Amino acid sequence: MMHSNLSSLALVFGLMLASGPAVALDVCGTTIGPKEKVVLDSHQNCSESPAVTVVGPATLDLNGFTITCVGSDQTGISVSGEKAKIVDGTVRECSNGVSLDLGSTKHYVSGITSRDNQSDGFRSWATESKISKNRAVANDGHGFNLAFGGGHKISGNLAADNGGSGFTSGTGNENSFTKNVALRNFQSGFNMGPGNDHVVAGNVASGNGERGFLNGSGSYATYAKNVASGNSGDGFEMGAGANHRLLKNRSLGNGGNGFEHHTPNETIYKGNVAEGNGAVGFLLNAGSNHEVVKNVATGNRGSGFEQH
């Protein structure tokens, strides 16, 4: 009886081992998934493009190692399908470091440093994906570029020293940016494009070459409890659209206006602070039916509040 029990335990243990993640010696040019988990055990120098393809549901765990592109115009990690996971490592010297493909959805990317790439650190054409606790550093393009697709949750990431903006959002709607940091990017810290219903909350944009936060032509955006400091242009600039809400933001020591408002109608400014900026604290150039209450403007080179 004991021998039978031991044999059964050995069989179960063997099956557990067989169903575990594959440990990869070389993933260059390979496709992982669907329904597969691969864990790297070494650095990878890849000449193929993409360097690695992941088709969800599948997991690529870089396990602290680095994928380096050694050719030209190579995508680093290309992600398609649904519910892929990319975690824990570095991608460098590619075109786009991590690319979420058009038509794919619900991916999870965390713990990835994407640096020194020829275009964007992270680029997404997907929808409804979570991009959390990553770093985009010294890329020639944007740090995090949501080129298309909505419903993303972008949280706890760092974008620093990139040649474009730290974080951008294109035509997709309902993207959420929370507790991210954009430092010393050549363009703006955060650049929201024509999409609608974005939530931008608890972020920091500091030392960027243009604005801290730019809202393009989209409507119904909420900016809450963000800090824009030491940027070369305006702290917050609302370009177009309507029905925005700016709540308890701080614009400190920026080279332009603390808050500049171009054409949006029916926008709420409530509980914001503009301090020590190089021009006007709150400049409302156009639009109508605004609610501007409980804001503070102090120490700015221009007037505290202007409306034209």
Side-chain angles (χ1 to χ4, degrees), residues 15-24 32 35-40 59-61:
L15 290 173
M16 289 173 63
L17 288 177
S19 62
V23 177
I32 297 167
K35 297 182 180 180
E36 186 176 9
K37 180 176 180 179
V38 170
V39 180
L40 296 190
T59 298
L60 172 59
D61 183 350

Side-chain angles (χ1 to χ4, degrees), residues 86-108:
I86 313 298
V87 298
D88 191 24
T90 299
V91 184
R92 60 191 296 265
E93 297 182 12
C94 304
S95 54
N96 295 305
V98 178
S99 179
L100 308 185
D101 292 350
L102 183 66
S104 66
T105 189
K106 297 180 181 177
H107 303 305
Y108 176 72

